[in-house]
């Protein structure tokens, strides 16, 4: 896992009170995978401040390997969360001068030994000065062909000074990814005017082997390089909020691909309809459980098993 760890300041207790919760898309995915029992290491730049220590402790407590994480004196990144009437989350970010974006080539010379899957995305692949270092690592690892590279754009348009440059960067990064998981909102921003199916096709043309698109209550859509495509329904759930739901889906997706033996550069684009359906069903169940409770709180493996038995 490669990317940012963010403090989410979310509504708590009514009124104007805010509570601090660990968050950030890459950290959420790392915790989600670790809770599902997958050995997970995170390449992140944690602040040495109180907030940064809290983020590091959250990852460590959940079993994420932080051996290769970096400590930095800059402050932690903050996101102020607001919820609309449907429980959907909206974010205001405080990013200037924070620790997450200052990768150097010396800090990312390669991946930890034994890495099979590299997942990244969100702001870490877009914000300078570290985004170029992240892009160089992706290009090297893609050329080597040993590791499945997964990207979730998780676009935050409000914090991007140059949207056109950000779109160009993300499309360039797609050439170094085997798997792209995105929301329909991400794709509508990335490729304006294209339908979900058309946008997914564009990513396949760039060399992506599997594209998975989340569509909220409309479920998900996936298409492989070998031509298998599938619409999968959402699960009925009483939504508390959607904080971390997309990240939980990503964790479930990667977990299911590993279980199916498809988490390799060659196999990920060759899933048949039955295999692809099983993968989407796992991801959907993980996301549904997360939507049913407050905050980015993905399930443990035992909870996922219980949801099937029940």
């Amino acid at each position: 896992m490669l990317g940012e760890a963010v403090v989410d300041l979310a509504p708590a207790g009514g009124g104007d009170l805010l509570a601090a919760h660990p968050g950030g898309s890459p950290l959420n995915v790392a915790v989600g995978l670790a809770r599902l029992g997958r050995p997970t290491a995170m390449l992140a730049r944690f602040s040495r401040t109180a907030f940064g220590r809290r983020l590091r402790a959250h990852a460590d407590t959940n079993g994420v390997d932080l051996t290769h994480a970096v400590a930095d004196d800059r402050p932690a990144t903050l996101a102020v969360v607001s919820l609309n009437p449907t429980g959907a989350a909206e974010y205001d970010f405080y990013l200037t001068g924070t620790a997450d974006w200052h990768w150097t080539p010396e800090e990312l010379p390669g991946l930890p030994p034994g890495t099979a899957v590299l997942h990244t995305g969100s702001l870490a692949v877009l914000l300078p000065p570290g985004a170029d270092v992240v892009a160089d690592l992706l290009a090297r690892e893609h050329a080597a062909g040993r590791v499945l590279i997964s990207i979730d754009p998780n676009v935050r348009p409000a914090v991007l000074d140059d949207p056109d440059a950000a779109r160009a960067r993300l499309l360039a990064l797609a050439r170094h990814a085997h798997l792209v998981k995105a929301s329909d909102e991400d794709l509508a921003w990335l490729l304006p005017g294209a339908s979900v199916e058309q946008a997914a096709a564009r990513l396949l043309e760039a060399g992506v082997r599997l594209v998975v698109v989340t569509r909220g209550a409309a479920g998900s859509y996936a298409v492989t390089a070998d031509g298998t495509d599938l619409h999968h329904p959402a699960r009925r759930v009483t939504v508390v909020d959607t904080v971390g739901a997309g990240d939980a889906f990503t964790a479930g997706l990667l977990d299911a691909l590993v279980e199916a033996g498809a988490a390799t550069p060659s196999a990920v684009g060759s899933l048949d309809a039955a295999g692809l359906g099983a993968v989407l069903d796992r991801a959907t169940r993980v996301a549904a459980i997360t939507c049913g409770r407050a905050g980015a709180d993905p399930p443990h493996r035992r909870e996922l098993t219980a949801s099937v038995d029940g």
Side-chain angles (χ1 to χ4, degrees):
M1 200 64 49
L2 168 59
E4 67 265 23
V6 176
V7 174
D8 288 338
L9 299 176
D16 295 326
L17 293 177
L18 296 174
H21 301 282
S25 179
L27 177 59
N28 291 341
V29 176
V31 168
L33 280 167
R35 288 186 178 185
L36 292 173
R38 298 298 174 189
T40 305
M42 187 168 184
L43 301 172
R45 305 187 87 262
F46 288 101
S47 171
R48 290 189 176 93
T49 64
F51 274 149
R53 294 194 299 273
R54 184 169 180 170
L55 291 167
R56 180 183 280 271
H58 175 67
D60 185 59
T61 299
N62 279 283
V64 178
D65 181 355
L66 300 179
T67 303
H68 302 277
V70 175
D72 191 287
D73 290 331
R74 297 175 181 88
T77 300
L78 303 180
V80 178
V81 183
S82 57
L83 303 176
N84 70 23
T86 68
E90 300 173 351
Y91 301 85
D92 293 311
F93 287 92
Y94 295 83
L95 311 168
T96 303
T98 56
D100 298 271
W101 329 117
H102 292 270
W103 289 107
T104 67
E106 294 74 23
E107 291 170 345
L108 284 179
L111 299 178
T115 299
V117 177
L118 169 61
H119 176 76
T120 189
S122 198
L123 296 174
V125 302
L126 292 174
L127 295 185
D132 287 343
V133 179
V134 173
D136 287 345
L137 175 65
L138 294 182
R140 293 197 307 273
E141 292 298 332
H142 188 269
R146 294 185 296 267
V147 171
L148 177 75
I149 298 176
S150 167
I151 294 177
D152 178 0
N154 197 33
V155 179
R156 306 298 186 190
V159 306
L160 301 175
D161 294 332
D162 188 341
D164 289 337
R167 289 186 181 95
R169 177 178 284 273
L170 286 171
L171 291 172
L173 288 175
R175 295 198 293 268
H176 304 305
H178 307 105
L179 166 62
V180 171
K181 175 266 173 185
S183 70
D184 51 1
E185 293 179 347
D186 290 335
L187 293 186
W189 179 88
L190 183 62
L191 295 164
S195 68
V196 165
E197 292 81 4
Q198 289 168 338
R202 285 278 302 276
L203 293 172
L204 293 179
E205 291 169 3
V208 179
R209 300 287 298 164
L210 171 62
V211 180
V212 179
V213 186
T214 55
R215 309 181 72 178
S220 58
Y221 170 75
V223 59
T224 72
D226 286 359
T228 302
D229 69 331
L230 189 66
H231 291 270
H232 192 274
R235 286 192 163 229
R236 290 183 179 273
V237 62
T238 300
V239 175
V240 174
D241 66 49
T242 64
V243 177
D247 304 325
F249 184 99
T250 302
L253 174 68
L254 294 173
D255 172 62
L257 288 170
V258 171
E259 187 166 302
T264 68
S266 58
V268 75
S270 301
L271 286 163
D272 60 17
L276 188 57
V279 165
L280 294 179
D281 189 65
R282 167 70 58 81
T284 300
R285 283 193 284 123
V286 174
I289 293 171
T290 306
C291 285
R293 51 205 194 189
D297 186 14
H300 293 80
R301 174 73 68 183
R302 62 182 179 273
E303 297 176 90
L304 196 61
T305 302
S307 76
V308 175
D309 295 341

